[in-house]
Short mmCIF file of all heavy atoms in Angstrom, two decimals:
data_model
loop_
_atom_site.label_atom_id
_atom_site.label_comp_id
_atom_site.label_asym_id
_atom_site.label_seq_id
_atom_site.Cartn_x
_atom_site.Cartn_y
_atom_site.Cartn_z
N ALA A 202 0.85 -1.20 0.02
CA ALA A 202 0.00 -0.01 -0.02
C ALA A 202 0.86 1.24 0.01
O ALA A 202 0.63 2.18 -0.77
CB ALA A 202 -0.93 -0.01 1.21
N LEU A 203 1.93 1.24 0.83
CA LEU A 203 2.87 2.37 0.86
C LEU A 203 3.45 2.64 -0.50
O LEU A 203 3.60 3.78 -0.90
CB LEU A 203 3.97 2.10 1.89
CG LEU A 203 3.71 2.51 3.32
CD1 LEU A 203 4.76 1.97 4.22
CD2 LEU A 203 3.65 4.04 3.44
N ARG A 204 3.83 1.56 -1.22
CA ARG A 204 4.41 1.77 -2.53
C ARG A 204 3.41 2.50 -3.49
O ARG A 204 3.84 3.37 -4.21
CB ARG A 204 4.77 0.41 -3.14
CG ARG A 204 5.98 -0.18 -2.53
CD ARG A 204 6.37 -1.45 -3.22
NE ARG A 204 7.47 -2.08 -2.50
CZ ARG A 204 7.84 -3.33 -2.64
NH1 ARG A 204 7.17 -4.11 -3.50
NH2 ARG A 204 8.87 -3.82 -1.99
N LYS A 205 2.15 2.14 -3.41
CA LYS A 205 1.18 2.79 -4.28
C LYS A 205 1.03 4.25 -3.85
O LYS A 205 0.91 5.16 -4.72
CB LYS A 205 -0.21 2.09 -4.18
CG LYS A 205 -0.20 0.73 -4.83
CD LYS A 205 0.07 0.86 -6.32
CE LYS A 205 0.14 -0.49 -6.99
NZ LYS A 205 0.49 -0.38 -8.41
N PHE A 206 0.95 4.52 -2.54
CA PHE A 206 0.81 5.91 -2.12
C PHE A 206 2.09 6.73 -2.49
O PHE A 206 1.92 7.89 -2.87
CB PHE A 206 0.58 5.95 -0.61
CG PHE A 206 -0.76 5.37 -0.21
CD1 PHE A 206 -0.85 4.42 0.82
CD2 PHE A 206 -1.96 5.71 -0.87
CE1 PHE A 206 -2.06 3.87 1.18
CE2 PHE A 206 -3.15 5.15 -0.55
CZ PHE A 206 -3.24 4.27 0.51
N TYR A 207 3.22 6.15 -2.44
CA TYR A 207 4.45 6.87 -2.84
C TYR A 207 4.45 7.08 -4.36
O TYR A 207 4.93 8.11 -4.86
CB TYR A 207 5.72 6.16 -2.35
CG TYR A 207 6.12 6.53 -0.98
CD1 TYR A 207 6.06 5.65 0.08
CD2 TYR A 207 6.51 7.86 -0.68
CE1 TYR A 207 6.39 6.03 1.38
CE2 TYR A 207 6.87 8.24 0.63
CZ TYR A 207 6.80 7.32 1.65
OH TYR A 207 7.13 7.70 2.91
N GLU A 208 3.94 6.15 -5.11
CA GLU A 208 3.80 6.35 -6.57
C GLU A 208 2.88 7.54 -6.81
O GLU A 208 3.17 8.37 -7.69
CB GLU A 208 3.21 5.11 -7.26
CG GLU A 208 4.17 3.96 -7.40
CD GLU A 208 3.49 2.76 -8.10
OE1 GLU A 208 2.83 2.99 -9.16
OE2 GLU A 208 3.65 1.64 -7.60
N ALA A 209 1.81 7.64 -6.09
CA ALA A 209 0.90 8.75 -6.23
C ALA A 209 1.61 10.06 -5.83
O ALA A 209 1.46 11.10 -6.52
CB ALA A 209 -0.35 8.58 -5.33
N TRP A 210 2.41 10.03 -4.77
CA TRP A 210 3.16 11.21 -4.32
C TRP A 210 4.09 11.72 -5.44
O TRP A 210 4.24 12.91 -5.62
CB TRP A 210 3.98 10.89 -3.06
CG TRP A 210 4.80 12.00 -2.59
CD1 TRP A 210 6.16 12.18 -2.76
CD2 TRP A 210 4.37 13.20 -1.92
NE1 TRP A 210 6.56 13.38 -2.20
CE2 TRP A 210 5.48 14.01 -1.69
CE3 TRP A 210 3.10 13.62 -1.47
CZ2 TRP A 210 5.41 15.25 -1.04
CZ3 TRP A 210 3.00 14.83 -0.80
CH2 TRP A 210 4.17 15.64 -0.60
N MET A 211 4.71 10.81 -6.13
CA MET A 211 5.66 11.18 -7.22
C MET A 211 4.96 11.90 -8.34
O MET A 211 5.62 12.61 -9.13
CB MET A 211 6.42 9.98 -7.69
CG MET A 211 7.30 9.29 -6.65
SD MET A 211 8.47 10.39 -5.85
CE MET A 211 9.53 10.83 -7.24
N LEU A 212 3.67 11.73 -8.49
CA LEU A 212 2.92 12.41 -9.60
C LEU A 212 2.47 13.83 -9.21
O LEU A 212 2.01 14.54 -10.07
CB LEU A 212 1.67 11.57 -9.95
CG LEU A 212 1.99 10.20 -10.53
CD1 LEU A 212 0.67 9.44 -10.77
CD2 LEU A 212 2.77 10.31 -11.84
N LEU A 213 2.60 14.17 -7.96
CA LEU A 213 2.16 15.50 -7.52
C LEU A 213 3.10 16.59 -8.02
O LEU A 213 4.30 16.46 -7.87
CB LEU A 213 2.03 15.53 -6.01
CG LEU A 213 0.90 14.71 -5.44
CD1 LEU A 213 1.14 14.38 -4.00
CD2 LEU A 213 -0.40 15.52 -5.59
N PRO A 214 2.56 17.65 -8.59
CA PRO A 214 3.39 18.75 -9.00
C PRO A 214 4.00 19.50 -7.80
O PRO A 214 3.45 19.45 -6.70
CB PRO A 214 2.46 19.67 -9.74
CG PRO A 214 1.13 19.09 -9.69
CD PRO A 214 1.15 17.86 -8.89
N LYS A 215 5.11 20.12 -7.99
CA LYS A 215 5.79 20.91 -6.95
C LYS A 215 5.25 22.35 -7.02
O LYS A 215 4.98 22.81 -8.13
CB LYS A 215 7.26 20.86 -7.14
CG LYS A 215 7.85 19.48 -6.80
CD LYS A 215 9.34 19.48 -6.96
CE LYS A 215 10.02 18.24 -6.49
NZ LYS A 215 9.66 17.00 -6.96
N PRO A 216 5.13 23.03 -5.94
CA PRO A 216 5.28 22.53 -4.57
C PRO A 216 4.05 21.75 -4.12
O PRO A 216 2.93 22.25 -4.25
CB PRO A 216 5.48 23.83 -3.78
CG PRO A 216 4.79 24.87 -4.55
CD PRO A 216 4.89 24.46 -6.00
N GLN A 217 4.26 20.58 -3.67
CA GLN A 217 3.17 19.64 -3.32
C GLN A 217 2.20 20.20 -2.26
O GLN A 217 1.01 19.95 -2.43
CB GLN A 217 3.75 18.31 -2.81
CG GLN A 217 4.43 17.46 -3.83
CD GLN A 217 5.95 17.67 -3.85
OE1 GLN A 217 6.45 18.65 -3.37
NE2 GLN A 217 6.65 16.73 -4.43
N PRO A 218 2.64 20.91 -1.29
CA PRO A 218 1.67 21.38 -0.25
C PRO A 218 0.54 22.28 -0.78
O PRO A 218 -0.46 22.47 -0.13
CB PRO A 218 2.51 22.16 0.79
CG PRO A 218 3.87 21.53 0.65
CD PRO A 218 3.99 21.20 -0.83
N GLU A 219 0.69 22.77 -1.99
CA GLU A 219 -0.34 23.63 -2.61
C GLU A 219 -1.54 22.84 -3.07
O GLU A 219 -2.56 23.44 -3.44
CB GLU A 219 0.25 24.45 -3.75
CG GLU A 219 1.23 25.47 -3.33
CD GLU A 219 1.70 26.32 -4.51
OE1 GLU A 219 1.23 26.14 -5.65
OE2 GLU A 219 2.59 27.17 -4.26
N TYR A 220 -1.48 21.52 -3.08
CA TYR A 220 -2.55 20.68 -3.58
C TYR A 220 -3.16 19.85 -2.48
O TYR A 220 -2.46 19.17 -1.74
CB TYR A 220 -2.00 19.77 -4.72
CG TYR A 220 -1.41 20.57 -5.83
CD1 TYR A 220 -0.04 20.82 -5.89
CD2 TYR A 220 -2.22 21.09 -6.81
CE1 TYR A 220 0.52 21.58 -6.90
CE2 TYR A 220 -1.66 21.87 -7.86
CZ TYR A 220 -0.32 22.11 -7.87
OH TYR A 220 0.21 22.88 -8.88
N VAL A 221 -4.49 19.87 -2.44
CA VAL A 221 -5.19 19.05 -1.44
C VAL A 221 -4.90 17.59 -1.57
O VAL A 221 -4.87 16.84 -0.57
CB VAL A 221 -6.72 19.38 -1.48
CG1 VAL A 221 -7.33 18.82 -2.75
CG2 VAL A 221 -7.42 18.85 -0.26
N GLU A 222 -4.64 17.13 -2.78
CA GLU A 222 -4.26 15.72 -3.00
C GLU A 222 -3.04 15.31 -2.20
O GLU A 222 -2.91 14.16 -1.79
CB GLU A 222 -4.09 15.45 -4.48
CG GLU A 222 -5.29 15.57 -5.32
CD GLU A 222 -5.68 16.97 -5.78
OE1 GLU A 222 -4.93 17.92 -5.42
OE2 GLU A 222 -6.69 17.14 -6.43
N SER A 223 -2.15 16.25 -1.99
CA SER A 223 -0.95 15.96 -1.20
C SER A 223 -1.31 15.56 0.22
O SER A 223 -0.72 14.65 0.82
CB SER A 223 -0.03 17.17 -1.18
OG SER A 223 0.45 17.48 -2.47
N GLY A 224 -2.26 16.25 0.77
CA GLY A 224 -2.74 15.91 2.12
C GLY A 224 -3.37 14.53 2.17
O GLY A 224 -3.15 13.78 3.13
N TRP A 225 -4.10 14.17 1.14
CA TRP A 225 -4.69 12.85 1.08
C TRP A 225 -3.59 11.75 1.07
O TRP A 225 -3.66 10.81 1.81
CB TRP A 225 -5.53 12.63 -0.16
CG TRP A 225 -6.63 13.58 -0.41
CD1 TRP A 225 -7.28 14.44 0.43
CD2 TRP A 225 -7.23 13.80 -1.70
NE1 TRP A 225 -8.21 15.15 -0.21
CE2 TRP A 225 -8.22 14.78 -1.53
CE3 TRP A 225 -7.06 13.27 -2.96
CZ2 TRP A 225 -9.06 15.23 -2.60
CZ3 TRP A 225 -7.85 13.68 -4.01
CH2 TRP A 225 -8.85 14.66 -3.81
N VAL A 226 -2.62 11.98 0.21
CA VAL A 226 -1.57 11.00 0.01
C VAL A 226 -0.71 10.88 1.28
O VAL A 226 -0.43 9.78 1.76
CB VAL A 226 -0.68 11.31 -1.20
CG1 VAL A 226 0.50 10.42 -1.30
CG2 VAL A 226 -1.53 11.25 -2.52
N LEU A 227 -0.32 11.99 1.85
CA LEU A 227 0.52 11.98 3.05
C LEU A 227 -0.25 11.38 4.25
O LEU A 227 0.38 10.69 5.07
CB LEU A 227 1.05 13.39 3.39
CG LEU A 227 2.15 13.87 2.50
CD1 LEU A 227 2.44 15.36 2.75
CD2 LEU A 227 3.42 13.03 2.67
N SER A 228 -1.50 11.64 4.39
CA SER A 228 -2.27 11.04 5.46
C SER A 228 -2.36 9.55 5.29
O SER A 228 -2.28 8.79 6.26
CB SER A 228 -3.65 11.70 5.66
OG SER A 228 -4.46 11.51 4.54
N ALA A 229 -2.51 9.07 4.06
CA ALA A 229 -2.55 7.65 3.79
C ALA A 229 -1.18 6.99 4.12
O ALA A 229 -1.13 5.94 4.71
CB ALA A 229 -2.92 7.37 2.32
#
């Protein structure tokens, strides 16, 4: 599961904290 969440993290544009999706991924 962590691998999938980290794959998702790698798709987030920088700076990641600007996107709500980053919060979803980091909380997971």
Side-chain angles (χ1 to χ4, degrees):
L203 272 169
R204 286 184 185 162
K205 290 297 176 183
F206 294 130
Y207 275 112
E208 284 180 49
W210 177 257
M211 297 305 294
L212 296 177
L213 289 158
K215 290 181 173 54
Q217 291 96 339
E219 290 183 5
Y220 301 96
V221 69
E222 292 83 1
S223 297
W225 304 340
V226 173
L227 285 171
S228 63

